[in-house]
């Protein structure tokens, strides 16, 4: 192989996703708001095994998500069954509009959101959660305590929830526009790793182009597709197209995700119904 062939082959290899990422993809794509009963651990472990996750790691992930309040666990004889908690349902519903958007990387031109906040020592345990919410909302760090995001971000949504009570009062946010003469492309590269964002898009496209995508059942492929898409949405905040190269790959990634999801979802849903029916027969 030439160097270019090696690089293309490497970018097309599906990346390993953490079991929790895979389960959130599965739950958001095929379980949320579908009226399904609690799902047995057997079904979760079957799915994870098909994605290369060992049984012990799968059981540990279910236990960890239960401890975190993301899954509710009930016993039926010797079988453990799991369902989304109301809090987890709310988180997934909040993510759904961007996941399904026809233009998830687009923002109204010209507007920016600046946010400055400090975390008191007594609330340091929430730092990671707030940072994850900021990244999902499209923020990049300009310097310590100062974040910027394209478009007009709903700051209240970031700090919503009883666990974040009082933190919004420690944040100052402004909607703004760059002063004339500001080197916006340079600013983008200070707040975000633009080459890494491009590489994430290119990896997604290389992995999910139909003649290259991984083999496996529709259920496992849809789950991995969703996990890769969520990772891409976390990586790319939707940088303004006018300050990016003309060949920026975000539109191609979006079109590919929508096409592959539409192709895989019906068969994946059928496979899940079959698994649930077979599992119900084992009660």
């Amino acid at each position: 192989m030439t160097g270019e062939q090696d690089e293309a082959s490497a970018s097309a290899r599906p990346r390993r996703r953490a079991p929790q990422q895979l389960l959130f993809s599965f739950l958001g794509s095929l379980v949320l708001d579908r009226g399904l009963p609690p799902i047995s651990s057997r079904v979760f472990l079957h799915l994870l095994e098909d994605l290369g996750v060992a049984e012990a790691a799968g059981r540990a992930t279910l236990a960890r998500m239960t401890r975190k309040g993301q899954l509710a666990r009930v016993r039926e004889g010797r079988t453990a069954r799991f369902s989304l908690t109301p809090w987890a349902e709310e988180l997934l519903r909040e993510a759904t509009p961007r996941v399904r958007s026809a233009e998830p990387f687009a923002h109204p031109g010209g507007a920016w959101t600046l946010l400055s906040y400090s975390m008191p020592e007594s609330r340091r345990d929430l730092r990671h959660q707030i940072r994850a919410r900021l990244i999902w909302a499209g923020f990049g760090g300009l310097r310590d305590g100062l974040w910027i995001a394209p478009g007009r971000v709903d700051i209240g949504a970031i700090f919503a929830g009883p666990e974040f009570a009082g933190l919004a009062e420690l944040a100052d946010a402004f909607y703004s526009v760059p002063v004339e003469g500001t080197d916006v492309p340079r600013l983008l590269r200070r707040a975000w790793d633009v080459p890494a964002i491009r590489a994430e898009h290119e990896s997604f496209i290389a992995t999910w182009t139909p003649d290259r995508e991984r083999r496996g059942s529709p259920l496992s492929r849809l789950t991995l597709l969703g996990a890769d898409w969520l990772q891409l949405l976390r990586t790319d905040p939707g940088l303004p197209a006018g300050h990016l190269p003309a060949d920026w790959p975000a539109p191609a990634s979006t079109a590919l995700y929508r096409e592959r999801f539409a192709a895989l979802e019906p068969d994946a849903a059928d496979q899940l119904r079959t698994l649930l029916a077979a599992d119900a027969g084992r009660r």
Side-chain angles (χ1 to χ4, degrees), residues 244-266:
L244 296 170
D247 64 346
W248 190 250
S253 296
T254 302
L256 180 60
Y257 169 74
R258 291 169 65 82
E259 186 276 324
R260 296 317 298 146
F261 185 90
L264 291 169
E265 192 274 340

Side-chain angles (χ1 to χ4, degrees), residues 153-203:
V153 178
D154 180 2
I155 300 300
I158 294 172
F159 294 98
E163 69 273 31
F164 303 121
L167 290 184
E169 300 172 5
L170 304 175
D172 299 303
F174 303 87
Y175 297 136
S176 61
V177 295
V179 173
E180 186 176 353
T182 298
D183 187 343
V184 177
R186 179 173 173 270
L187 182 146
L188 297 185
R189 284 160 176 78
R190 283 177 56 198
W192 294 277
D193 187 341
V194 177
I197 295 173
R198 175 187 280 276
E200 195 74 35
H201 278 287
E202 291 174 346
S203 175

Side-chain angles (χ1 to χ4, degrees), residues 206-217:
T207 298
W208 290 102
T209 296
D211 62 348
R212 297 179 182 176
E213 77 176 71
R214 64 165 278 153
R215 300 289 180 258
S217 69

